C-alpha cells in the first residue's frame, strides 16, 4: 500500500472544518511553560556513558525481590518461572500485537484460544475474550456492556472496589450514558459494605461492581448480591485484582456473576513498574455478542482439519463504529501469552497449590502482626492480603520501615485520601515472602510504633 501524506490543502481544510486557525491552536490548553519546554539533557554521550548513568539511576530503586516486600493492592510480586520468559521470546511469539491476518497466524490464534479456555475455567464462566488492557479498563467495559444488555444506565460501584479501578471507570464513562453511583469504603465492616450494595439495587440498576477479595483483602460470598441484582434484571460484575485467589476461592460463576473482570498480572507477568498488564474478561454465553474486544474460536477447514479463527470481533476496526461494542484496539498479546504459558506449567493442581501457599504465608503474617501492641488486623476472612489499623500515621510508619529496607505495604490514606484511613496499611504476602521477611517486618514495626 502506498503511503499518501496529507497535502497543505488537506490540512487547511480539516482545520477550517473544526474551527482552528493552525495546528498550534489544537494545543492551546497546554500551559505555555510546558509546551516545547527545553529539556536539560547533554547534547551527546557515548553508549557506555549512557549505560553507566542509567544503571546509577536504576540503583536508586528498591527491587521487590531484594528486601522484605509486602506491597499488593492491585499489583503482586509472584515468582515467574524463567521458562515463561524464554518461551515468549521465541520469534514466533515475540510481538505485543494481535494478528490482523489470522489465517496465517494459526499458532497465535491457538494461544489465544487456550488463554480464553483457561480464563473461562478459572472464573467459572462460559466464555472469555482474548484479554483486555488491564483489570481497571475491563471494569469500565463491563459497565458499558451491562448498559447494552439491560438498557439501563445506573451502575453501582461497591465501596471496597479498588479506588484506581473506580477512577478509571469514572474517566471512561464520562462521555457515555452511564450513571455511576460510588459507595463509601468500609474496611472495618465488609459485611455492612456488602449489604449497602444489596440495598442500593433497584429497577434502574444496570449492574453492580463488587470486588472479591476486596481492596482491603476481605473474602466475600457474592451470591446474595447476584440474587438481588437478578431480581431487578441487573447484572453482577465480579471484580478481582489477584487472579491467584481463584485457585482457592469459590469461582465468581458459581456465585452467580454475569460478567467477571480482573487483573491477570500475577500469572506470568512481573510488576513491570505498573504495566503492561493483562485484563481478564469473561461472561455467560447469552451475553457473548455484547462482549468487548475479540474472541478466538475453534473450527475445521474444508478438509476437516482443526483450525482457529477470530470468531467475534465487535470492534470498531472490524465493523461499523455505531455497531461496535468497544473501541479497544487490540488485546494484551504478549502478556496474555505469558499468562497462558505460566498457567499451562502450573495446571489445575499447581494453581491450587500456589493459592494455598499464598494463604498460608498470609496466615503466618497475620499471626505475627497480631502479637504487636498497637496493631489490629481487621480481616476475618482473607486470601493473601490483610489490612492493619495502627496507632499513628501509616505513611510515616511505612516510610520509617522503608529506611530499614522493609517495604511494608500501602498506606490507606494514599489509596483513599481524606477518608479517615490514614492509620490503615494494606499488606500482601505471596509465595515470595519468607519467614525471615515476616520476622523482619514484625521487629521493624515494634521499633517504629
Amino acid at each position: 500500500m502506498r503511503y499518501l501524506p496529507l497535502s497543505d490543502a488537506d490540512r487547511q481544510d480539516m482545520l477550517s472544518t473544526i474551527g482552528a486557525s493552525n495546528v498550534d491552536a489544537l494545543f492551546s490548553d497546554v500551559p505555555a511553560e510546558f509546551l516545547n519546554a527545553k529539556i536539560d539533557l547533554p547534547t551527546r554521550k557515548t553508549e557506555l556513558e549512557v549505560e553507566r548513568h542509567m544503571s546509577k539511576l536504576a540503583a536508586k530503586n528498591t527491587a521487590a525481590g531484594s528486601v522484605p516486600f509486602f506491597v499488593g493492592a492491585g499489583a503482586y510480586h509472584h515468582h515467574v518461572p524463567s521458562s515463561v520468559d524464554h518461551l515468549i521470546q521465541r520469534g514466533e511469539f515475540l510481538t505485543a500485537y494481535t494478528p490482523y491476518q489470522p489465517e496465517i497466524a494459526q499458532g497465535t490464534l491457538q494461544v489465544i484460544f487456550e488463554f480464553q479456555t483457561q480464563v473461562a475455567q478459572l472464573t467459572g464462566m462460559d466464555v472469555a475474550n482474548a484479554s483486555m488492557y488491564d483489570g481497571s479498563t475491563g471494569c469500565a467495559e463491563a459497565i458499558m456492556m451491562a448498559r447494552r444488555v439491560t438498557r439501563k444506565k445506573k451502575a453501582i460501584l461497591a465501596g471496597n472496589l479498588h479506588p484506581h479501578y473506580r477512577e478509571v471507570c469514572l474517566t471512561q464513562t464520562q462521555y457515555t450514558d452511564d450513571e455511576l453511583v460510588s459507595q463509601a469504603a468500609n474496611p472495618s465492616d465488609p459485611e455492612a459494605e456488602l449489604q449497602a450494595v444489596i440495598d442500593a439495587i433497584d429497577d434502574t440498576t444496570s449492574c453492580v461492581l463488587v470486588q472479591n477479595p476486596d481492596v482491603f483483602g476481605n473474602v466475600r460470598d457474592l451470591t446474595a448480591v447476584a440474587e438481588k441484582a437478578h431480581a431487578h434484571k441487573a447484572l453482577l460484575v465480579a471484580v478481582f485484582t489477584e487472579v491467584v485467589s481463584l485457585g482457592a476461592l469459590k469461582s465468581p460463576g458459581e456465585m452467580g456473576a454475569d460478567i467477571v473482570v480482573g487483573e491477570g498480572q500475577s500469572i506470568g507477568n512481573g510488576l513491570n513498574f505498573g504495566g503492561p498488564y493483562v485484563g481478564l474478561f469473561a461472561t455467560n454465553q447469552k451475553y457473548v455478542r455484547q462482549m468487548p474486544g475479540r474472541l478466538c474460536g475453534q473450527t475445521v477447514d474444508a478438509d476437516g482439519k482443526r483450525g482457529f479463527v477470530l470468531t467475534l470481533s465487535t470492534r470498531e476496526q472490524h465493523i461499523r463504529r455505531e455497531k461496535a461494542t468497544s473501541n479497544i484496539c487490540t488485546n494484551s498479546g504478549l502478556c496474555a501469552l505469558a499468562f497462558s504459558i505460566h498457567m499451562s506449567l502450573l495446571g489445575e493442581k499447581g494453581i491450587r497449590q500456589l493459592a494455598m501457599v499464598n494463604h498460608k504465608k498470609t496466615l503466618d503474617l497475620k499471626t505475627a502482626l497480631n502479637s504487636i501492641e498497637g496493631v489490629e488486623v481487621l480481616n476475618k476472612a482473607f486470601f493473601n492480603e490483610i489490612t492493619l489499623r495502627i496507632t499513628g500515621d501509616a505513611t510515616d510508619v511505612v516510610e520509617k520501615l522503608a529506611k530499614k529496607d522493609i517495604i511494608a505495604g500501602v498506606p490507606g490514606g494514599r489509596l483513599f485520601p481524606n477518608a479517615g484511613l490514614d492509620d490503615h496499611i494494606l499488606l500482601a504476602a505471596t509465595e515470595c515472602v519468607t519467614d525471615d521477611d515476616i520476622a523482619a517486618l514484625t521487629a521493624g514495626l515494634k521499633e517504629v510504633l
Side-chain angles (χ1 to χ4, degrees):
M1 179 185 294
R2 292 177 59 198
Y3 175 64
L4 301 173
L6 297 174
S7 67
D8 288 340
D10 292 333
R11 293 191 184 89
Q12 287 303 319
D13 184 49
M14 288 190 291
L15 288 169
S16 62
T17 298
I18 63 175
S21 57
N22 51 51
V23 174
D24 290 342
L26 300 176
F27 303 96
S28 60
D29 291 336
V30 181
E33 62 268 30
F34 300 123
L35 196 62
N36 300 320
K38 184 178 180 181
I39 301 175
D40 184 20
L41 287 175
T43 55
R44 64 185 70 82
K45 289 279 188 182
T46 67
E47 182 176 333
L48 179 58
E49 289 173 323
V50 172
E51 285 181 358
R52 285 174 174 168
H53 180 69
M54 298 305 291
S55 297
K56 190 175 179 182
L57 292 178
K60 294 182 179 181
N61 293 317
T62 301
S66 63
V67 297
F69 186 85
F70 299 91
V71 174
Y76 304 90
H77 179 223
H78 286 285
H79 171 69
V80 179
S82 56
S83 49
V84 173
D85 190 51
H86 175 77
L87 289 171
I88 66 172
Q89 293 190 56
R90 288 180 61 92
E92 301 92 323
F93 295 130
L94 193 53
T95 173
Y97 218 56
T98 46
Y100 274 103
Q101 293 179 298
E103 69 277 9
I104 62 170
Q106 281 293 299
T108 300
L109 289 178
Q110 182 171 359
V111 166
I112 293 175
F113 183 81
E114 303 294 349
F115 168 84
Q116 293 170 176
T117 304
Q118 292 166 343
V119 174
Q121 290 180 340
L122 275 171
T123 57
M125 305 300 285
D126 296 332
V127 292
N129 70 11
S131 79
M132 309 298 287
Y133 296 143
D134 56 31
S136 63
T137 53
C139 281
E141 295 282 359
I143 291 172
M144 292 183 277
M145 173 175 162
R147 172 169 46 80
R148 294 192 297 272
V149 170
T150 64
R151 301 183 184 277
K152 295 187 284 188
K153 300 178 179 179
K154 188 176 79 174
I156 301 169
L157 278 57
N160 289 2
L161 178 69
H162 196 297
H164 294 173
Y165 284 34
R166 182 192 316 279
E167 291 298 318
V168 170
C169 291
L170 290 168
T171 299
Q172 287 198 217
T173 59
Q174 60 182 316
Y175 299 117
T176 69
D177 292 333
D178 299 282
E179 299 169 1
L180 272 55
V181 177
S182 296
Q183 299 192 312
N186 189 350
S188 303
D189 194 346
E191 294 180 2
E193 185 265 348
L194 202 60
Q195 187 60 49
V197 173
I198 296 173
D199 294 342
I201 299 172
D202 59 27
D203 288 339
T204 67
T205 304
S206 65
C207 65
V208 287
L209 272 72
V210 188
Q211 183 175 327
N212 183 46
D214 68 21
V215 68
F216 301 104
N218 300 298
V219 171
R220 291 96 66 81
D221 187 344
L222 306 183
T223 305
V225 185
E227 291 174 351
K228 180 70 179 293
H230 295 161
H232 291 271
K233 300 187 185 306
L235 304 185
L236 168 62
V237 180
V239 183
F240 58 86
T241 60
E242 171 56 291
V243 64
V244 176
S245 67
L246 297 177
L249 304 180
K250 189 177 181 179
S251 74
E254 293 175 290
M255 290 188 276
D258 301 284
I259 303 173
V260 182
V261 292
E263 179 52 62
Q265 171 264 325
S266 293
I267 303 293
N269 292 275
L271 288 167
N272 301 337
F273 297 97
Y277 287 172
V278 50
L280 312 183
F281 197 111
T283 188
N284 293 323
Q285 182 68 40
K286 60 182 176 180
Y287 303 131
V288 67
R289 290 189 176 276
Q290 293 299 332
M291 187 165 59
R294 51 173 54 183
L295 191 150
C296 180
Q298 177 181 267
T299 186
V300 293
D301 64 14
D303 299 322
K305 296 179 181 176
R306 185 192 192 202
F308 300 92
V309 293
L310 281 182
T311 308
L312 294 174
S313 295
T314 53
R315 315 175 311 150
E316 66 181 31
Q317 291 90 343
H318 286 142
I319 61 177
R320 285 183 297 168
R321 174 170 292 182
E322 62 271 22
K323 295 289 186 182
T325 60
S326 167
N327 67 352
I328 182 172
C329 292
T330 183
N331 73 325
S332 297
L334 197 61
C335 296
L337 172 64
F339 177 98
S340 194
I341 291 173
H342 193 176
M343 271 302 304
S344 299
L345 293 171
L346 286 169
E348 183 176 349
K349 185 177 180 181
I351 187 68
R352 292 190 186 282
Q353 287 179 336
L354 178 61
M356 291 301 106
V357 171
N358 273 247
H359 186 56
K360 175 64 168 57
K361 292 288 184 182
T362 313
L363 276 172
D364 294 343
L365 175 65
K366 180 185 179 185
T367 301
L369 296 177
N370 264 333
S371 67
I372 304 174
E373 186 177 352
V375 172
E376 179 188 6
V377 180
L378 301 180
N379 309 73
K380 295 178 181 176
F382 55 90
F383 172 59
N384 71 350
E385 293 184 271
I386 54 176
T387 297
L388 311 183
R389 183 159 50 205
I390 62 172
T391 54
D393 182 78
T395 299
D396 182 52
V397 168
V398 168
E399 289 180 353
K400 287 179 178 176
L401 289 171
K403 291 178 181 177
K404 297 176 178 291
D405 282 339
I406 302 169
I407 309 301
V410 181
R414 179 178 174 184
L415 290 176
F416 296 91
N418 306 315
L421 302 181
D422 292 344
D423 56 352
H424 289 57
I425 305 177
L426 287 63
L427 301 96
T430 70
E431 73 281 3
C432 297
V433 168
T434 67
D435 293 344
D436 289 342
D437 293 340
I438 295 175
L441 174 64
T442 306
L445 266 175
K446 288 179 179 176
E447 290 180 17
V448 301
L449 284 177

